[in-house]
Amino acid sequence: MQWRVRGAGAVDADRLSLVANACFLDTYSTALNGDDLVAHCLRHNNAAVFTAWLGDPASVVTLAETEPHHAPIGYTVLTAPHFPIALDIHDIELRRIYTLRQAHGTGIGAALMARAVEDAARLGAKRILLGVWEHNARARAFYERSGFRIIGARQFQVGSEVHDDPIYALEI
């Protein structure tokens, strides 16, 4: 598979929403209630959510696409952090990093992470924070290989289910 990683723009909100929903459903469909998943996606992965991030100068959105067809297959979102821990003015949150299953093992995840670290540094961040589903062993192993370490926990709710998710940090 050939692919590219590029900065996303306002015209990409629909593409980002589609890949976000596909990734979220694929990742969690065997573990969470279907109605809760759909409601979560409609609320948190719609084009308006991405449009807001794309218009926020403190956020950076990156899109991974196939080459030469430019079909969306992954993305990242860096934003101001929202965690129940002591935050520093130089913290940034890697709010989202997802790739479609067929892109796993291609290097896209590593490329998206490298781009997120570069973008965070360009914005003046000294530390990247992220939260991850406690049972997502694949993602947790990826973050740990990327140098992230657990520094706390947060509760994350999808429908009626509340999860105690670890918070990871990477000093940059």
Side-chain angles (χ1 to χ4, degrees):
M1 170 187 297
Q2 294 183 358
W3 48 267
R4 71 178 183 174
V5 173
R6 67 171 177 85
V11 299
D12 294 312
D14 287 332
R15 299 167 79 73
L16 290 156
S17 175
L18 287 170
V19 76
N21 285 317
C23 290
F24 198 86
L25 290 168
D26 186 52
T27 300
Y28 303 108
S29 64
T30 60
L32 301 174
N33 175 281
D35 290 338
D36 291 346
L37 282 171
V38 170
H40 183 88
C41 286
L42 291 173
R43 181 173 182 205
H44 298 285
N45 292 342
N46 63 63
V49 168
F50 284 96
T51 297
W53 282 328
L54 290 161
D56 178 1
S59 296
V60 177
V61 183
T62 301
L63 183 62
E65 302 174 315
T66 61
E67 283 287 358
H69 305 294
H70 304 155
I73 53 174
Y75 72 103
T76 62
V77 177
L78 288 165
T79 67
H82 298 282
F83 288 108
I85 61 171
L87 298 171
D88 183 89
I89 192 168
H90 298 292
D91 288 340
I92 196 163
E93 181 178 351
L94 181 53
R95 175 82 48 102
R96 307 266 183 94
I97 179 168
Y98 282 102
T99 62
L100 295 176
R101 186 177 306 270
Q102 65 264 33
H104 291 179
T106 65
I108 292 173
L112 284 167
M113 182 63 77
R115 177 73 176 260
V117 171
E118 291 171 13
D119 288 336
R122 181 180 49 78
L123 291 173
K126 305 290 185 211
R127 184 172 73 161
I128 300 174
L129 304 173
L130 63 84
V132 61
W133 184 40
E134 62 189 320
H135 301 296
N136 192 339
R138 181 183 180 94
R140 292 181 69 176
F142 173 73
Y143 300 141
E144 291 167 9
R145 282 192 312 273
S146 299
F148 284 82
R149 299 293 171 248
I150 295 173
I151 61 162
R154 67 151 179 208
Q155 290 193 322
F156 187 81
Q157 187 167 355
V158 177
S160 61
E161 293 188 40
V162 177
H163 301 272
D164 294 314
D165 294 348
I167 299 169
Y168 281 81
L170 174 70
E171 303 291 330
I172 57 174

